[in-house]
């Protein structure tokens, strides 16, 4: 916290992060140089033995931040490969530059429309500035994890339930920008944020399912009504065509009989024209 307050105060006074690092890598003072010289003489005198304590190796994906009497020796970290340290005066911290991923534990969140949901996610980040990640925060990994949890709660607290369910990509981009801005002074680069799962209460799931079912039934009734209307219009047009040609009605009768006979039914209903029946009724 003191380091963060120092960074903030330096920003207010218009001093950049590079200037602050150069301030940390300043002169060791007279006493410090005396100790460094004595350590160098000690290393030279006991060269066959001290060589094993002076040479250090870091991997391709690692960098070493060297402290000499408590001060950072250079603006750039050492590595990869072999580098030299003085015994008794120098110490170093290894920083892993590979991308790290972690799961955000499920967070109980109250949305903007007063609905309680449980949301979890995943964050991918890496160390972009090894010196800042060591000098500006005590544990960059743990701090980023805690900040991701609070950021998830803050961002989703401004969204309603419909936005949480439908706009996951927008929420992820908003979280990424907020996290990246907050962790910039820690030397952390947030590469990607994803929302994994949104869990709703059981009663809310039932209510939403009932609402969706009712909406589907309403759409089905509308579609059926539109089909009946189109069918009635087609029947009207067909009746007008048949009325223009009496022989067309007889052909339709024969076609209907052919369809019934193909089904091998034992009972056949034969329609008779009304004018034929009316002729017998007059007699």
């Amino acid at each position: 916290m003191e380091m963060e307050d120092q960074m903030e105060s330096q920003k207010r006074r218009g001093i950049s992060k590079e200037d602050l690092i150069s301030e940390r890598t300043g002169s060791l003072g007279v006493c410090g140089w005396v100790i460094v010289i004595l350590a160098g003489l000690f290393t030279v005198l006991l060269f066959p033995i001290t060589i094993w304590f002076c040479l250090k190796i870091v991997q391709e994906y690692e960098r070493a931040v060297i402290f000499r009497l408590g001060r950072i020796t250079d603006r750039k970290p050492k590595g990869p490969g072999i580098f030299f340290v003085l015994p008794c005066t120098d110490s170093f911290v290894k920083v892993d530059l590979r991308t790290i991923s972690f799961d955000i534990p499920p967070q109980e969140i109250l949305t903007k429309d007063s609905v309680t949901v449980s949301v979890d996610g995943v964050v991918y980040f890496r160390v972009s500035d090894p010196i800042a990640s060591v000098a500006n925060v005590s544990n960059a990994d743990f701090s980023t994890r805690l900040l991701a949890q609070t950021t998830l709660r803050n961002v989703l607290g401004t969204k309603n339930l419909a936005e949480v369910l439908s706009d996951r990509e927008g929420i992820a981009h908003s979280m990424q920008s907020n996290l990246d801005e907050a962790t910039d002074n820690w030397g952390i680069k947030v590469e990607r944020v994803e929302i994994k799962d949104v869990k709703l209460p059981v009663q809310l799931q039932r209510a939403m399912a009932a609402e969706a079912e009712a909406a589907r039934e309403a759409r089905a009734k509308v579609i059926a009504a539109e089909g009946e209307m189109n069918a009635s219009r087609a029947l009207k047009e067909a009746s007008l065509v048949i009325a223009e040609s009496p022989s067309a009605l007889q052909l339709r009768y024969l076609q209907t009989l052919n369809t019934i006979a193909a089904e091998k039914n034992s009972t056949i209903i034969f329609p008779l024209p009304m004018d034929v029946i009316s002729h017998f009724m007059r007699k």
Side-chain angles (χ1 to χ4, degrees):
M1 292 299 294
E2 293 180 359
M3 191 65 67
E4 294 177 7
D5 295 339
Q6 183 180 3
M7 290 288 294
E8 292 296 332
S9 61
Q10 298 288 351
K11 280 187 175 182
R12 295 191 190 98
R13 288 181 292 172
I15 301 178
S16 62
K17 182 170 64 176
E18 289 76 10
D19 296 334
L20 185 61
I21 293 175
S22 63
E23 181 182 346
R24 293 197 186 105
T25 58
S27 177
L28 298 176
V30 177
C31 183
W33 280 112
V34 170
I35 296 175
V36 171
I37 292 172
L38 291 177
L41 292 176
F42 175 77
T43 303
V44 172
L45 292 176
L46 300 177
F47 176 73
I49 300 175
T50 55
I51 188 64
W52 305 106
F53 300 95
C54 295
L55 294 180
K56 303 295 180 181
I57 300 175
V58 291
Q59 304 295 331
E60 180 68 30
Y61 54 84
E62 294 177 333
R63 297 293 184 272
V65 180
I66 301 177
F67 292 89
R68 178 166 295 166
L69 297 178
R71 286 182 173 273
I72 298 175
T73 58
D74 196 357
R75 292 187 180 184
K76 294 182 179 181
K78 301 295 183 180
I82 300 175
F83 61 94
F84 180 82
V85 296
L86 287 176
C88 303
T89 60
D90 292 358
S91 62
F92 69 96
V93 178
K94 288 184 180 181
V95 180
D96 196 332
L97 301 183
R98 292 176 293 182
T99 299
I100 302 173
S101 62
F102 66 90
D103 291 328
I104 302 177
Q107 304 291 313
E108 294 289 337
I109 298 168
L110 185 65
T111 60
K112 190 176 181 180
D113 50 354
S114 302
V115 178
T116 302
V117 294
S118 178
V119 183
D120 58 354
V122 60
V123 177
Y124 299 87
F125 72 96
R126 61 179 175 85
V127 176
S128 60
D129 188 351
I131 294 179
S133 67
V134 173
N136 294 349
V137 62
S138 61
N139 191 332
D141 181 87
F142 183 69
S143 300
T144 305
R145 293 172 187 267
L146 293 180
L147 185 61
Q149 297 180 22
T150 56
T151 303
L152 178 63
R153 300 176 67 92
N154 293 336
V155 171
L156 293 183
T158 61
K159 307 289 184 180
N160 54 38
L161 181 60
E163 293 174 343
V164 172
L165 296 177
S166 61
D167 192 21
R168 295 190 181 187
E169 185 176 357
I171 294 173
H173 285 302
S174 178
M175 282 190 59
Q176 179 182 352
S177 61
N178 292 340
L179 279 174
D180 197 21
E181 182 180 357
T183 58
D184 182 59
N185 291 332
W186 301 344
I188 300 296
K189 173 64 178 178
V190 179
E191 296 181 339
R192 191 177 183 88
V193 178
E194 293 291 341
I195 303 299
K196 292 176 59 178
D197 190 16
V198 179
K199 296 181 180 178
L200 304 176
V202 178
Q203 295 180 352
L204 182 59
Q205 293 180 13
R206 293 175 180 174
M208 294 178 66
E211 181 182 359
E213 184 178 359
R216 286 194 298 269
E217 290 181 355
R219 287 196 298 268
K221 290 180 179 179
V222 171
I223 293 172
E226 291 178 353
E228 291 291 338
M229 181 177 62
N230 295 332
S232 63
R233 290 176 179 175
L235 289 174
K236 179 182 177 181
E237 294 176 0
S239 64
L240 294 176
V241 173
I242 292 175
E244 294 177 356
S245 177
S247 60
L249 183 60
Q250 298 296 330
L251 293 175
R252 183 59 179 167
Y253 289 158
L254 295 175
Q255 185 180 3
T256 304
L257 287 175
N258 187 23
T259 303
I260 295 174
E263 295 178 357
K264 298 180 181 180
N265 293 328
S266 58
T267 302
I268 296 177
I269 300 174
F270 184 75
L272 294 175
M274 293 299 297
D275 52 355
V276 176
I277 298 175
S278 62
H279 178 70
F280 288 102
M281 290 177 63
R282 286 196 299 270
K283 292 181 177 181

